[in-house]
Amino acid sequence: SKHMATIVTDQKLPFSLEELRYEGYREEVQDFYQKYEMRSFAHKSGKKLRKVEAVSCQVVQKIDTELLQGRTSFFLDVDNESLWLKQCFGMAIGNEEKMEYIAMEDLLRDEAALAYLKGPLPKCTYDCKQAYHMFARYGIAIEQLSFDYHIAAFLLDGTLIDYERFANHYGIRKALNMEEIYGKEGKPKLADESLRVEYVSQQLAGMIPLYEDLVRQLKETNMWKLFEEVEMPLVKVLYEMERNGVATDLQVLSEIEARTAKKIEEISASIYACVGHEFNLNSPKQLAIVLFDELGLKASKKRSTAIDVLEKLTHAHPVVPLLMEHRKYQKLYSTYAVALAKHVQADGKIHTIFHQTLTQTGRLSSSDPNLQNISVRDEESREVRKAFVASEGCVLLAADYSQIELRILALISGDETMKNAFLNGEDIHAVTASQVFGVPLAEVTPLQRSRAKAVNFGIVYGISAFSLAQDIGVWPGEAKAYIDAYLEKYHGVREYMERVIAEAKERGYVETLYGRRRPMPELKSPNRNTRAFGERVARNMPIQGTAADIIKLAMVNVDRALREEGLSARLILQVHDELIAECPEEEAERVKELLEREMESAARLSIPLTAEAHSARSWAEAH
């Protein structure tokens, strides 16, 4: 044992230590990572660093007016706090020939620069939405932010979801660690200005040469129109939505918290009585011991107690449904009732942050807090929406699309039965039930319609027979029969599913009707499960992505129409296929008509889109 544990120090090696000096990743390593789809390693290694010409960045008190004559790029000198706490110390601004850094206090005194920022000349930066927020704090309404490096890069490569990955991918040298400059853990450290200037100027110098290349690639991949007409106009709409925020009733959240805490206590007592003793319900390890050792339930190799495992054990023991109910109320308590209250700011509103560069389908996501995951599936979760209310003297209008993804499926697949159902204004779920169960449309039962609805939406998301069986409470064999019958009756849908996978394998990507692309390396994976996942994505992404593109267009058009018609109403939330606006009570009817009109006309398709809006004092009531 001693011999095996003793490090050999006298081995003769065929190389010297100097030869082992690290000088960055070689190109062959990156090629290897790309070939074998080692994405996380590829991001960490980055591309071979480009030789960025040393650009002299002079600190100035007034920006050279020559820099303000045409399109320029800038990079903000901000700390690493969350958006609402960030400080802006200044910015580096420049083009291919010259770069300057100006501190914020000097910028505010530079009349020519302020006129330029508020003027019509095009400006480029990384994260335009952040720039809108930063400048607004100083009373600067910056205009013509026409090019966002991050959004452009993300459209071309959906893995570039943050600045670190963006910088690594394009080989932008990081002069210093951000924490060396600005500190961490919410404690900004105002380091020497020269350090910040060095960092910010290095980032800008690395970004500027990317402009022409990114524009060229967007045009070559037919995504320039998507970038220019959808994503870039949406940036300012999202900024306004974040700034507006949504009024939140803390009393409602407090009542939900108290009610939910009591319910958790009652369920916990029932669980303890069921198993014969108390234990930590929030400890997966202790729960696994109770379920698999004491109660003898069948365990997976990893002895997981995740919700999907519990769902499979629902009928195995009376305690399992109780545990699932406990999880539901625990989430309601911690994720919503308690957590949302912490995000209410001094103005009595929650100001969530919307993200355009996170999902490869193009769907928006939100954080701090996430308002996209407030479920409407059960009564308890719907209660949370009662906390989101209109400001004094105003009402909320909630408008959502009717079955937009199924309409897009009918359009893309060309299935005549499905198309005719929408064109004739029929109930698509009842039509599907009639087709699948072989009964006249007038004789479809509520249960048959409910199961057909699950099949309709399940098909869109590439659901398996096993998952469908769990959703509708039947055996997997019966669920498979439903799916088979569906595909037999809807020939166009079946042919679309086969066609889109074949095209994805051939081209290496799928795309939406608006050209948004999603690479499909999963289809070439040697792993069967990975390939199966890729096939589900290939079927779903063109549908869900097209729906996401359409609602983004609707948001841009709604915002424009509200301003053109001189209305005070403003969009405040977007959740999947739903838009929520706030307006004075006297504008409610006009805004309702405007929302429905602009949402339905956002895309001119052969199958009409339908939207319906309702007004109320709270989000929950506006349905």
Side-chain angles (χ1 to χ4, degrees), residues 90-261:
M91 71 173 181
I93 185 169
N95 52 36
E96 291 82 354
E97 299 175 357
K98 188 173 185 178
M99 190 186 308
E100 293 180 342
Y101 177 94
I102 185 168
M104 184 56 71
E105 57 265 30
D106 292 322
L107 178 62
L108 295 174
R109 292 190 289 264
D110 188 343
E111 293 183 8
L114 292 176
Y116 168 76
L117 292 173
K118 298 173 184 178
L121 292 175
K123 306 161 192 75
C124 318
T125 192
Y126 180 94
D127 197 344
C128 290
K129 182 156 64 66
Q130 176 183 261
Y132 280 124
H133 280 294
M134 291 298 105
F135 284 116
R137 291 184 191 178
Y138 297 94
I140 304 171
I142 188 170
E143 293 293 339
Q144 284 304 306
L145 285 177
S146 59
F147 191 89
D148 190 313
Y149 284 96
H150 189 195
I151 293 174
F154 178 78
L155 285 177
L156 296 168
D157 185 342
T159 64
L160 306 182
I161 62 174
D162 53 36
Y163 186 73
E164 182 178 358
R165 298 189 189 198
F166 170 86
N168 283 341
H169 184 78
Y170 290 107
I172 298 175
R173 187 180 301 278
K174 287 196 172 183
L176 294 161
N177 184 299
M178 286 287 283
E179 291 180 1
E180 291 175 30
I181 310 170
Y182 303 115
K184 60 181 179 179
E185 297 175 357
K187 298 175 182 177
K189 180 172 60 177
L190 303 184
D192 187 286
E193 185 187 68
S194 62
L195 294 178
R196 298 202 313 272
V197 171
E198 180 185 358
Y199 173 79
V200 175
S201 62
Q202 281 282 354
Q203 307 319 296
L204 184 57
M207 268 191 336
I208 288 173
L210 296 176
Y211 177 83
E212 298 293 344
D213 201 33
L214 290 172
V215 171
R216 176 184 57 78
Q217 290 183 65
L218 286 171
K219 290 181 177 179
E220 287 177 353
T221 54
N222 296 317
M223 285 194 283
W224 177 250
K225 187 174 182 180
L226 175 70
F227 173 80
E228 190 177 40
E229 297 183 9
V230 180
E231 296 293 349
M232 285 310 302
L234 183 66
V235 174
K236 194 165 188 180
V237 176
L238 295 178
Y239 151 69
E240 294 282 1
M241 289 168 63
E242 291 176 356
R243 193 177 70 163
N244 290 333
V246 55
T248 309
D249 191 331
L250 285 170
Q251 181 62 35
V252 171
L253 291 178
S254 179
E255 291 170 1
I256 294 173
E257 180 183 346
R259 194 164 58 244
T260 307

Side-chain angles (χ1 to χ4, degrees), residues 3-51:
H3 173 74
M4 291 177 66
T6 302
I7 298 173
V8 176
T9 60
D10 56 355
Q11 179 69 41
K12 301 297 182 185
L13 300 175
F15 46 78
S16 67
L17 285 175
E18 184 59 33
E19 291 176 275
L20 298 179
R21 183 182 295 280
Y22 174 70
E23 295 179 345
Y25 284 87
R26 292 167 57 185
E27 202 66 45
E28 296 91 333
V29 177
Q30 185 71 7
D31 292 341
F32 178 86
Y33 289 156
Q34 295 289 352
K35 179 179 179 181
Y36 293 102
E37 300 175 13
M38 297 180 177
R39 295 186 184 86
S40 62
F41 287 157
H43 284 311
K44 289 177 182 177
S45 68
K47 290 185 176 178
K48 193 173 182 180
L49 290 177
R50 294 179 290 109
K51 290 185 178 179

Side-chain angles (χ1 to χ4, degrees), residues 517-566:
R517 291 189 180 185
R518 201 284 195 184
M520 295 301 310
E522 295 91 346
L523 295 177
K524 295 182 179 179
S525 171
N527 183 289
R528 187 179 73 172
N529 290 335
T530 303
R531 290 198 306 274
F533 168 75
E535 290 178 359
R536 290 196 298 273
V537 171
R539 291 192 293 260
N540 167 252
M541 190 276 172
I543 300 165
Q544 191 179 110
T546 297
D549 291 339
I550 289 173
I551 199 158
K552 284 180 174 179
L553 268 171
M555 293 170 73
V556 171
N557 293 345
V558 165
D559 182 78
R560 183 186 300 119
L562 289 173
R563 296 175 191 281
E564 287 177 352
E565 295 188 24

